[in-house]
Amino acid sequence: MGIITKITTQQKNKDRFNIYMDSGQGEEFAFSVDSDVLIKFHLKKGMEIDEFSLMEIQYQDDIRKAYNLAVHYLARRMRSEKEVRDYLISKEVDEPVINEVLLKLSEQKYLNDCEFAAAYVRTQVNTTDKGPEVIKMELKEKGISEALINQALDEFPQEQQIEKVSKISEKFFKKNLKESFRIQKQKLEQMLLRKGYPYEVIHIAIDDMDRHKEEDEEMEAIRYQGEKALRKLSKYDGYEWKQRMKQTLYRKGFSMELIEKYLSEQEKS
């Protein structure tokens, strides 16, 4: 049991107050509280506080401090409930306090995993080349439920996935013109799978590219790869040279028809 003898404002934080009490041994600092807690418990000079009330005041002040931490954390960008929980754990906040804070934040609409997931998908679609599987994995890591993830991924329909994959593919092919189309497709498929696009979407987009592939581009590629093979196989001649050239270029992904055409060019030159 003690009596409040003095209440002062903290110099570095005007929203917190130092409470001094006399418990029979003269005035001494007892605890500090947030302004909201001060008002909630009507703390004032001359007020008598028992041990139970003191524990409740301190518990509510812990909640307020954790709440302020969470709001500051949320001010930077939207967060999932798990992200906020993990952040408060990293600040060594006790679990009962965390639960109270998360409940309050949810009631005040600061936390909403459904809205967070939908916004996250939209942001990733608009600013990155990530496919739905990678986005799904990232949302799982942020603690979003399977049901909410599937609902949020409605923001990234298959038509839009195909469009993005087509654009990625177009850029990829332009950077890899010196390789056969078959090798390009293999590398592109692997890259798109790593980015999180499903097989169905990848094959639709690549098959469309296949239909528009120019023979001249493939001929330029085999000439480039052929020059490298010629230097490597210069010690061979006749039938052995021709067979080794065919094997090398076939492994590079070129069709036998194109290889024969290229070798015919070489024999005439």
Side-chain angles (χ1 to χ4, degrees):
M1 188 78 71
I3 297 173
I4 296 177
T5 56
K6 185 170 64 177
I7 299 175
T8 61
T9 305
Q10 290 187 355
Q11 290 184 350
K12 294 183 178 180
N13 188 345
K14 301 300 181 183
D15 289 325
R16 290 196 64 79
F17 295 84
N18 294 328
I19 310 296
Y20 295 81
M21 294 178 61
D22 185 347
S23 300
Q25 297 179 341
E27 180 182 271
E28 59 183 356
F29 172 78
F31 57 91
S32 64
V33 293
D34 185 270
S35 58
D36 284 1
V37 177
L38 184 81
I39 294 168
K40 180 177 181 178
F41 287 90
H42 307 291
L43 300 179
K44 57 186 178 180
K45 185 177 178 180
M47 183 177 181
E48 192 174 62
I49 299 178
D50 58 29
E51 188 174 347
F52 177 79
S53 297
L54 181 59
M55 289 175 61
E56 180 62 20
I57 290 169
Q58 291 176 330
Y59 177 62
Q60 291 300 322
D61 190 59
D62 286 343
I63 292 173
R64 189 64 196 180
K65 284 189 288 188
Y67 173 83
N68 290 339
L69 279 173
V71 169
H72 181 71
Y73 184 59
L74 285 164
R76 301 172 196 169
R77 64 170 175 82
M78 289 182 73
R79 311 275 185 178
S80 68
E81 182 176 314
K82 181 180 183 297
E83 285 181 300
V84 177
R85 180 182 291 278
D86 290 347
Y87 175 72
L88 292 177
I89 289 173
S90 74
K91 296 297 183 180
E92 300 182 345
V93 179
D94 293 337
E95 186 176 350
V97 174
I98 293 174
N99 292 335
E100 291 282 355
V101 171
L102 293 178
L103 178 61
K104 186 173 183 179
L105 290 170
S106 296
E107 289 174 346
Q108 294 176 335
K109 310 299 183 186
Y110 283 121
L111 280 182
N112 185 315
D113 277 357
C114 182
E115 291 182 6
F116 169 82
Y120 188 85
V121 172
R122 287 194 297 270
T123 299
Q124 298 308 306
V125 169
N126 292 329
T127 62
T128 75
D129 286 335
K130 294 174 186 175
E133 292 304 315
V134 166
I135 295 173
K136 184 175 184 177
M137 180 185 66
E138 291 175 349
L139 285 171
K140 279 185 178 179
E141 290 173 354
K142 293 179 183 298
I144 307 301
S145 70
E146 188 84 19
L148 288 183
I149 291 173
N150 291 332
Q151 182 179 328
L153 284 172
D154 288 341
E155 301 280 342
F156 197 9
Q158 189 183 74
E159 297 78 15
Q160 192 173 8
Q161 293 176 36
I162 293 171
E163 184 181 341
K164 283 186 76 73
V165 167
S166 296
K167 290 179 179 178
I168 295 169
S169 302
E170 190 175 341
K171 290 179 182 177
F172 179 86
F173 284 131
K174 286 180 179 178
K175 290 180 180 178
N176 296 272
L177 290 173
K178 293 179 179 179
E179 293 182 307
S180 69
F181 191 54
R182 184 162 69 88
I183 296 297
Q184 285 178 328
K185 286 198 295 183
Q186 289 175 356
K187 290 183 177 181
L188 176 62
E189 183 177 291
Q190 292 168 3
M191 182 186 77
L192 291 169
L193 286 171
R194 289 195 300 271
K195 285 182 178 291
Y197 290 95
Y199 278 106
E200 182 181 1
V201 168
I202 293 171
H203 290 159
I204 290 172
I206 291 180
D207 287 347
D208 185 61
M209 288 284 178
D210 201 355
R211 289 194 295 272
H212 294 90
K213 178 68 176 177
E214 297 291 337
E215 185 178 341
D216 288 347
E217 293 178 5
E218 192 77 339
M219 200 65 207
E220 284 299 312
I222 197 172
R223 285 172 183 148
Y224 175 80
Q225 296 296 337
E227 287 296 321
K228 291 168 66 176
L230 286 171
R231 291 192 294 271
K232 185 177 179 181
L233 302 173
S234 59
K235 62 183 178 181
Y236 301 101
D237 56 22
Y239 177 79
E240 186 176 6
W241 171 82
K242 192 170 186 178
Q243 289 304 110
R244 286 181 179 273
M245 284 293 291
K246 284 182 178 180
Q247 290 173 3
T248 299
L249 293 174
Y250 185 75
R251 288 170 185 162
K252 293 290 184 180
F254 298 104
S255 67
M256 287 307 300
E257 181 183 357
L258 198 65
I259 293 170
E260 292 288 358
K261 185 176 179 180
Y262 170 73
L263 291 177
S264 178
E265 277 187 0
Q266 293 302 307
E267 288 170 349
K268 290 176 182 177
S269 60

